[in-house]
Amino acid sequence: DSGVTQTPKHLITATGQRVTLRCSPRSGDLSVYWYQQSLDQGLQFLIQYYNGEERAKGNILERFSAQQFPDLHSELNLSSLELGDSALYFCASSVVSGRKNEQFFGPGTRLTVL
Amino acid sequence: AQTVTQSQPEMSVQEAETVTLSCTYDTSENNYYLFWYKQPPSRQMILVIRQEAYKQQNATENRFSVNFQKAAKSFSLKISDSQLGDTAMYFCAFIESGAGSYQLTFGKGTKLSVIP
């Protein structure tokens, strides 16, 4: 158990819908990262937050957005869903200024868009 | 932009034997970190081993060790005494340090099967 929690574990929805994925980082970790794992694109970095502020953006679509709340949990919002958004979405957390720069991954949320 | 290449999509090894997974990367930076992550069928991403670019000594973690060749930009993973539980996807990953963001760039992965 990495200490990072993600809910829900599975999500099935229809095209055009909007969903919210939630992540709680490990205790003490200030940084949250979101990654998408799909068959055709592999593991891709989407976005990073550090202590409530957006720190970096990767290959995140405009239909996707995220935020980190004062209690440090984070939410990834996916809207106008398309079939191609079906993927495993991981959240990871780390202590950005930590010695080891290790990222600890949550169990992921499996999103299926029908 | 940095890239990570894993040239072996699939590999297999007999139980108790040794196997080496290859990884090359491309970066113009001098300070960075390299990682191997394991993803078993459960889909959980598990950190196997890490290497700081400024350290010449190769990292080891029990049966797992790396061969880090900085000039060649190569970072291979050696698994000794392979066990059935080592069956998984293995991802090589890379972080550039100093930019304030530490996002991981992953390779496409190597699917390792340990055969009894």
Side-chain angles (χ1 to χ4, degrees):
Chain A
D1 186 355
S2 66
V4 179
T5 60
Q6 289 186 248
T7 56
K9 286 187 178 180
H10 303 279
L11 200 48
I12 302 174
T13 189
T15 54
Q17 295 299 305
R18 172 189 170 95
V19 297
T20 298
L21 314 183
R22 182 188 169 101
C23 168
S24 293
R26 294 187 317 155
S27 177
D29 284 359
L30 300 178
S31 202
V32 169
Y33 307 79
W34 286 96
Y35 294 90
Q36 179 194 57
Q37 185 177 29
S38 62
L39 282 174
D40 51 347
Q41 297 294 327
L43 269 159
Q44 288 196 105
F45 166 72
L46 295 178
I47 196 165
Q48 177 201 359
Y49 278 81
Y50 174 71
N51 203 21
E53 299 291 327
E54 182 183 304
R55 179 61 65 93
K57 265 186 175 179
N59 297 321
I60 188 166
L61 300 171
E62 286 190 7
R63 300 183 285 108
F64 296 2
S65 64
Q67 54 184 326
Q68 186 179 28
F69 295 86
D71 67 353
L72 299 178
H73 90 272
S74 178
E75 292 181 358
L76 179 67
N77 300 296
L78 316 176
S79 61
S80 302
L81 285 168
E82 302 175 0
L83 296 177
D85 298 328
S86 295
L88 186 56
Y89 292 84
F90 284 108
C91 166
S93 74
S94 74
V95 178
V96 173
S97 59
R99 181 172 61 89
K100 293 187 175 182
N101 291 312
E102 291 180 27
Q103 292 185 24
F104 296 86
F105 282 74
T109 293
R110 168 76 66 184
L111 173 66
T112 302
V113 182
L114 300 175
Chain B
Q2 61 268 32
T3 59
V4 178
T5 302
Q6 293 180 248
S7 59
Q8 305 149 316
E10 291 192 41
M11 294 188 74
S12 61
V13 62
Q14 290 291 136
E15 196 175 2
E17 296 296 310
T18 296
V19 64
T20 299
L21 280 58
S22 301
C23 172
T24 58
Y25 58 93
D26 187 25
T27 180
S28 57
E29 297 294 324
N30 196 44
N31 295 319
Y32 49 89
Y33 300 85
L34 294 159
F35 304 84
W36 279 97
Y37 278 87
K38 169 185 177 180
Q39 188 178 40
S42 67
R43 298 294 187 181
Q44 177 73 48
M45 293 290 289
I46 302 165
L47 179 63
V48 175
I49 199 165
R50 65 189 298 276
Q51 174 81 42
E52 293 92 338
Y54 63 86
K55 287 187 176 179
Q56 291 186 337
Q57 186 175 7
N58 288 325
T60 62
E61 288 287 342
N62 301 313
R63 298 183 294 108
F64 298 88
S65 62
V66 298
N67 183 5
F68 173 49
Q69 302 288 329
K70 191 172 184 178
K73 295 181 181 176
S74 170
F75 182 61
S76 61
L77 174 70
K78 186 171 83 170
I79 306 174
S80 304
D81 186 25
S82 297
Q83 301 176 0
L84 296 178
D86 296 333
T87 293
M89 283 289 291
Y90 287 83
F91 294 94
C92 179
F94 170 96
I95 286 179
E96 288 182 343
S97 63
S101 172
Y102 296 94
Q103 67 261 35
L104 286 159
T105 298
F106 287 92
K108 293 291 188 184
T110 296
K111 184 178 180 180
L112 177 67
S113 299
V114 179
I115 302 166

